[in-house]
Amino acid sequence: MSISPLRIGVWAPVHGPRAAWQDPAEPFDASWPHNRDTVLEAEALGYDATLVAQHTVNPHLPEKDQIEAWTAAAALAALTRRIEIIAAIKPYLYHPVVLAKMALQIENISNGRFAFNLVNAWNRAEFEKAGIPFGAHDARYAYGREWLGVVERLVSGESVTHAGESFRISDYKLSPASPVRARPRIYLGGESEPARALAADLSDVFFINGQPLEDVKAMIADLAARPRRGAPLAYGLAAFVIARETQQEAEDEYHRLLALAAKDAPAKQEQAARTDPNVVMIRTFAKSVRVGTNGGTAAGLVGSYDQVAERMQAFHRAGIELFMLQFQPLRSELRRFAEHVFPRLGRPATGTPAAVASPRATRIG
Ligand SMILES: Cc1cc2nc3c(=O)[nH]c(=O)nc-3n(C[C@H](O)[C@H](O)[C@H](O)COP(=O)(O)O)c2cc1C
């Protein structure tokens, strides 16, 4: 398997902190200024990508703030110069023609730095309270497959005529297409069999929830063995990082966050009641104690700077090209990682204020 250079991204704080919601070191903040400033700083530090998760209502604390993913992604596209902006999308929420048009607009605003991440939803309340149908697990993927097939052709600039189970589209062509490439990049995040099949058929990058190296290797082997047209599938990994000078310091911080996260247990129970029990990723989450969302620390990126860098290199050798990282407190840890772990990954150390003024000047293709 040929693996592209390692890329590093950060989750935008769309619904506040990722590890614990009652942390004196990280007051709850899901505001636009916090999201904007985080992504701008990440870009200045040399991070390669940001992931803007999509939720119309905060999925953890429904009464708290939540950033709207697509309008925020458009604004981020206008404000940044280099970083890849990946916005998640749940097919039931937008007609494919409307979404494809939005994707191409952000692709144009960003001059070819936009990507979307198809995610097939787990939070029943987000849909049912709005009166939007929430199909059974595999029915959601059948809908998502038809939806993505249409979107992929539209964002490629094709004239689309389609008569399927859910959509009837005739002679529809969107303009302008991407100014610099065939189409925006397509990610897919999900673990079930229909998610894997759809990723192999129609996506460019399969996004994996944080989990141990051996499990990630098995998942990559499964995906890589599937028939596919075009370029080989690439792989991304979500992970929560706690990196310190020593392993002991990192573990102490892990236990601080774990103790704080325990205070969120009542809200997590309510969240579990809103979750579709057939979602496969929750079985993965149940296998480990961890902090962070989407697998969080289950990927094992808790340790000394050397250990974290070595483990990331091992994931990279296994096929992971993009790490989508979570930190808490977000901004200071983002800088710490850029200062101490970047150089151990063969990148310039950029976490110091002087270095931030001269970010790496590369573009994504
Ligand atoms: C990297 C990644 C990002 C995700 N982002 C979102 C998101 O923004 N919104 C959301 O509702 N679900 C998100 N999900 C969860 C997926 O929507 C999906 O519910 C989940 O993977 C369950 O599907 P499965 O049964 O195929 O595992 C994400 C999953 C992954 C792996």
Side-chain angles (χ1 to χ4, degrees):
M1 184 192 314
S2 88
I3 309 167
S4 306
L6 182 153
R7 296 195 301 134
I8 302 174
V10 61
W11 290 69
V14 294
H15 42 55
R18 289 264 162 196
W21 306 315
Q22 302 173 63
D23 181 358
E26 180 87 307
F28 181 92
D29 190 350
S31 66
W32 162 244
H34 182 42
N35 277 268
R36 176 197 62 204
D37 294 350
T38 300
V39 174
L40 284 171
E41 180 165 24
E43 177 171 74
L45 288 166
Y47 286 83
D48 302 297
T50 188
L51 177 58
V52 186
Q54 187 192 34
H55 303 276
T56 44
V57 174
N58 187 312
H60 308 297
L61 303 163
E63 72 287 1
K64 292 277 200 187
D65 293 350
Q66 171 68 48
I67 280 279
E68 198 292 300
W70 282 67
T71 45
L76 290 169
L79 291 171
T80 51
R81 291 283 167 271
R82 185 187 57 78
I83 202 165
E84 181 182 31
I85 295 161
I86 310 166
I89 178 66
K90 279 170 272 199
Y92 279 110
L93 295 178
Y94 291 89
H95 189 278
V97 165
V98 178
L99 192 282
K101 183 67 185 163
M102 288 162 57
L104 284 179
Q105 187 61 63
I106 307 177
E107 173 76 353
N108 274 268
I109 293 170
S110 64
N111 196 30
R113 293 180 290 120
F114 184 63
F116 56 92
N117 181 31
L118 186 131
V119 293
N120 244 322
W122 51 268
N123 181 5
R124 277 204 307 252
E126 181 182 24
F127 291 78
E128 290 175 353
K129 288 175 81 171
I132 300 171
F134 186 77
H137 182 274
D138 289 4
R140 289 203 299 283
Y141 274 104
Y143 183 94
R145 173 175 279 276
E146 186 181 345
W147 185 99
L148 185 56
V150 170
V151 170
E152 197 275 333
R153 293 174 61 201
L154 284 168
V155 296
S156 303
E158 279 184 42
S159 175
V160 174
T161 294
H162 169 92
E165 188 73 24
S166 303
F167 308 109
R168 291 190 177 274
I169 296 160
S170 44
D171 197 19
Y172 223 102
K173 186 173 180 349
L174 298 175
S175 184
S178 172
V180 295
R181 56 184 176 172
R183 60 160 173 74
R185 192 175 281 160
I186 301 175
Y187 291 74
L188 188 141
E191 297 195 8
S192 55
E193 173 52 36
R196 295 175 189 215
L198 183 55
D201 284 346
L202 281 177
S203 79
D204 305 311
V205 187
F206 183 57
F207 239 141
I208 302 172
N209 286 305
Q211 46 201 295
L213 179 60
E214 292 312 312
D215 296 352
V216 168
K217 281 184 178 169
M219 206 176 286
I220 290 176
D222 174 70
L223 269 290
R226 291 168 190 254
R228 177 173 167 82
R229 279 180 301 139
L233 194 58
Y235 302 92
L237 183 72
F240 191 102
V241 174
I242 305 175
R244 291 289 182 281
E245 202 66 55
T246 65
Q247 181 179 350
Q248 187 58 53
E249 285 171 88
E251 282 174 11
D252 290 348
E253 174 61 6
Y254 171 68
H255 289 291
R256 182 189 81 87
L257 288 171
L258 206 55
L260 286 170
K263 294 187 182 180
D264 301 329
K268 284 186 183 147
Q269 262 176 3
E270 287 174 24
Q271 183 188 50
R274 297 190 294 271
T275 302
D276 174 3
N278 296 314
V279 161
V280 171
M281 71 171 185
I282 56 176
R283 289 174 223 160
T284 305
F285 298 165
K287 286 189 205 159
S288 63
V289 177
R290 70 202 177 278
V291 298
T293 69
N294 296 83
T297 51
L301 301 187
V302 177
S304 69
Y305 300 133
D306 284 337
Q307 286 171 324
V308 168
E310 279 160 20
R311 289 172 195 166
M312 288 177 72
Q313 301 279 23
F315 277 116
H316 185 228
R317 285 193 297 277
I320 296 297
E321 293 172 11
L322 174 64
F323 290 86
M324 194 51 66
L325 302 180
Q326 304 175 1
F327 305 98
Q328 185 165 331
L330 176 54
R331 301 286 291 282
S332 53
E333 292 299 310
L334 191 71
R335 280 175 222 132
R336 178 201 295 277
F337 187 89
E339 183 177 357
H340 296 283
V341 184
F342 272 17
R344 289 167 164 89
L345 296 171
R347 303 171 156 230
T350 58
T352 52
V356 175
S358 52
R360 293 181 318 133
T362 53
R363 275 188 91 255
I364 62 149

